[in-house]
Every structure is written in structure tokens, then in C-alpha cells.
Amino acid sequence: MKKVFVTRKILPDGIELLRNKGFEVLVSSKDEPLTPAELMEKAKNVDAIICTMADSINKEFLEKNTHLKIITNYAVGTNNTDMETAAKLGIKIGNTPDVLTEATAEIAFGLMIAAARNFRSAMQTAERGEWKHFEPLGHLGHALLGKKLGVIGYGRIGQRLGEMAHGAFKMEVRGYKRGDDMNEFLKDLDVLSIHVPLTPETKHIVGIKEIAAMKKTAIIVNTARGDVIDQDALYEALKSGAIFSAGLDVTTPEPLVPTHPLYNLPNVIILPHIGSATYEARRAMSILSAENIINAFLID
Ligand code: DGY
């Protein structure tokens, strides 16, 4: 009987599917990611792994676990995995594209509205008992109707966000294409949303220079990976008012410690990486992870 280890508790649909197909499935009992040593130990006696982006599937791990047929990531992003080494060693790598497109685009859309309309500072005012009167000049934000949305990473999620923004707010949507002049692309955007995978090429794709090219009223949304933005440059720009606000579902590092200065800014909304966190998406991710494993064994 082939054994599968799941590094975190997940919605059970995929686990049931695997068991129905005759796999033995072991699920980590910890409510937090395993340490690298624990993961190494667990991997020894199994044939396949379902992991999350918190598990580092690095060269050392792969070289010590060449018996694994497949490691499938409970995420679309695979930046936690040394893909090159896995390919060299013949270990298949899976992920969960498509099924989380809607959920992640929804979070980007939500962050765009929340950042444009000052949800964070407005909520803080209410929660701190500072809501005394109707404020004719308080919490003024920017309307989205007819504004320009630029998307870096115009793939599945970026395009779906574009459809939502165009459908709801008639926003003019532009996708950045490799080779386009970045400053030209950024200079008159009202909202920038980033959806590229994290690779050496996309690390800090938005940095000091790019932020400086944007309008003072611009909003930046990031639901991709923290490192696609130079977070220090973003912090400075938000603090100085060089851009209006930001909505982040991802940070560097994750989790972002509560003492991090970004939390002190009223114009940034930070979510704890919940892009795919709908029942629908996570159920589908569970099933797709199982299917990745089933197919990996079928193909051989
Ligand atoms: C992904 O799938 O890469 C997401 O960031 C995880 O929700």
C-alpha cells in the first residue's frame, strides 16, 4: 500500500479520495508547520507528500528523499520548492492551479476596495471609541469607478481580477507584458495589483523606482508573494504619502511579527495570507492534491 504524508490538517475531501483509491494517508497532528527535521523524519517512510508553502522543499530535503514519487504543494505557488533539483532527481512536483483563481481574485478585489476606502483607519476609529460624529472630511478615499487598474502577472488570477474590476466598476484594465516600459505602465495607474509567481526575476519587481513612478493617489495590492515588492520601499512610500494605500495578503516574512512597523500605518491593510481560504477553493485544492498523487502513480 502506498503511503502519503500530509504536512498539515486540510479539508478531508482529498484524503478520503486517496483512501478510497487504496492509499494509506497519514496527517500531521501538529497545528503548525513541521520543523525541517520533523519533515525529514516523516518523509522517510512514505511515497508521496502533500505539503504547504511553509514547508521548504529544498535541495537537501530532495536529495535525502529520492524515494518520493511526488510532492504536491497545497498552493499554486511553488517558490518553496527547488524545482530544478526535483526535476533532476525525477521527483514529480504538483500544485493546485485554477481551483483557487476565484478565491484569490476575490481577495485582491476586496483589498482594492478596502485600501481605496480606508477600511483600516475607519475601523480603528470605530473600535477605539473615536467615532464621535459624522465626519464630513473624515476617511476620504478614492472612488474606483472608471479608474485604471494595472496588473503585473496577467495570468489566471490577474485576468479574473480584471474581469471583476471591469464588471463592477468599469475599470480600465491593463496587463503588464514582459518588455513593456515599466515606468510608462505604472505612471497613470490608480490601482496596481501584482499576481506574478515569485522567482529570482520577479523578486522586488516593484521597488523604490517603480513606486516612485506611481501617482500619489495610487493603491498597491499584493496577493502574490511578499518578496515581489520591496517591502521597505513600500513602507517608506506609504508613510510619506508617496502613494495612497496598500492592501497586502502576503508579506516578507510570513508571518509578519505584530511589532512590524507596517502595522502602525493607517493606510495599509494586512491579511494573513488568506487568498485561497474559501471552503470551495480549499476543498478543490484538497481534491486536486489527491488527484495529483493518484495520477503520479498511474503514469508510471
Ligand atoms: C498559493 O496557492 O500559492 C496561495 O498563495 C496559497 O493560498
Side-chain angles (χ1 to χ4, degrees):
M1 193 184 252
K2 297 292 182 200
K3 282 191 192 165
V4 179
F5 178 65
V6 190
T7 66
R8 295 296 302 276
K9 290 171 195 137
I10 60 173
L11 290 179
D13 309 63
I15 294 171
E16 283 158 19
L17 176 60
L18 283 167
R19 287 186 176 140
N20 288 339
K21 293 282 180 187
F23 288 83
E24 183 181 342
V25 185
L26 313 156
V27 181
S28 172
S29 53
K30 279 182 84 175
D31 278 330
E32 58 186 5
L34 300 176
T35 63
E38 287 169 333
L39 180 60
M40 198 69 97
E41 189 55 34
K42 295 286 183 190
K44 270 190 198 160
N45 302 313
V46 297
D47 305 286
I49 289 181
I50 299 177
C51 68
T52 74
M53 68 193 114
D55 301 308
S56 175
I57 308 300
N58 56 21
K59 191 165 193 282
E60 185 195 355
F61 178 83
L62 291 163
E63 284 176 347
K64 290 208 169 126
N65 290 289
T66 52
H67 63 283
L68 291 171
K69 165 74 75 184
I70 175 166
I71 302 168
T72 189
N73 214 20
Y74 196 70
V76 63
T78 51
N79 53 295
N80 59 327
T81 303
D82 181 342
M83 301 294 278
E84 216 180 295
T85 303
K88 256 188 226 148
L89 296 172
I91 301 172
K92 295 183 169 66
I93 300 296
N95 66 342
T96 59
D98 297 322
V99 295
L100 44 68
T101 296
E102 197 67 23
T104 310
E106 279 178 10
I107 277 289
F109 188 77
L111 282 170
M112 174 174 74
I113 300 174
R117 298 299 304 275
N118 294 313
F119 277 21
R120 174 106 195 283
S121 57
M123 285 172 75
Q124 285 175 335
T125 298
E127 286 162 8
R128 291 174 182 161
E130 292 161 6
W131 177 16
K132 306 281 190 213
H133 321 277
F134 169 76
E135 290 295 347
L137 292 177
H139 305 294
L140 296 179
H142 295 284
L144 292 167
L145 185 70
K147 297 284 174 71
K148 292 190 179 78
L149 166 67
V151 178
I152 301 182
Y154 202 47
R156 289 174 286 247
I157 299 170
Q159 286 178 33
R160 185 67 190 112
L161 172 68
E163 284 170 13
M164 290 178 184
H166 183 71
F169 299 124
K170 299 185 174 49
M171 291 181 83
E172 188 189 309
V173 182
R174 304 172 187 171
Y176 175 79
K177 287 188 290 309
R178 205 189 282 250
D180 284 356
D181 181 322
M182 184 63 97
N183 282 9
E184 274 300 305
F185 175 76
L186 295 170
K187 75 173 196 223
D188 58 354
L189 295 182
D190 299 294
V191 182
L192 169 68
S193 191
I194 310 172
H195 299 278
V196 280
L198 176 62
T199 64
E201 292 73 47
T202 62
K203 185 170 176 181
H204 292 189
I205 192 166
V206 174
I208 296 184
K209 195 162 65 70
E210 289 72 25
I211 295 173
M214 299 183 72
K215 298 200 297 196
K216 279 185 94 161
T217 50
I219 292 158
I220 296 181
V221 173
N222 186 12
T223 56
R225 288 292 181 268
D227 262 339
V228 300
I229 296 187
D230 175 344
Q231 195 167 275
D232 294 338
L234 179 67
Y235 172 80
E236 291 303 330
L238 287 164
K239 194 169 170 219
S240 67
I243 59 166
F244 184 70
S245 61
L248 309 175
D249 186 42
V250 289
T251 56
T252 307
E254 289 186 13
L256 194 68
V257 288
T259 48
H260 194 282
L262 260 182
Y263 290 110
N264 298 331
L265 299 179
N267 53 345
V268 57
I269 290 149
I270 298 172
L271 300 178
H273 205 144
I274 60 167
S276 67
T278 64
Y279 286 105
E280 292 81 359
R282 292 280 165 90
R283 225 173 260 136
M285 288 163 71
S286 177
I287 292 171
L288 185 51
S289 301
E291 287 171 349
N292 286 345
I293 292 175
I294 294 164
N295 290 334
F297 283 98
L298 274 183
I299 285 165
D300 248 26

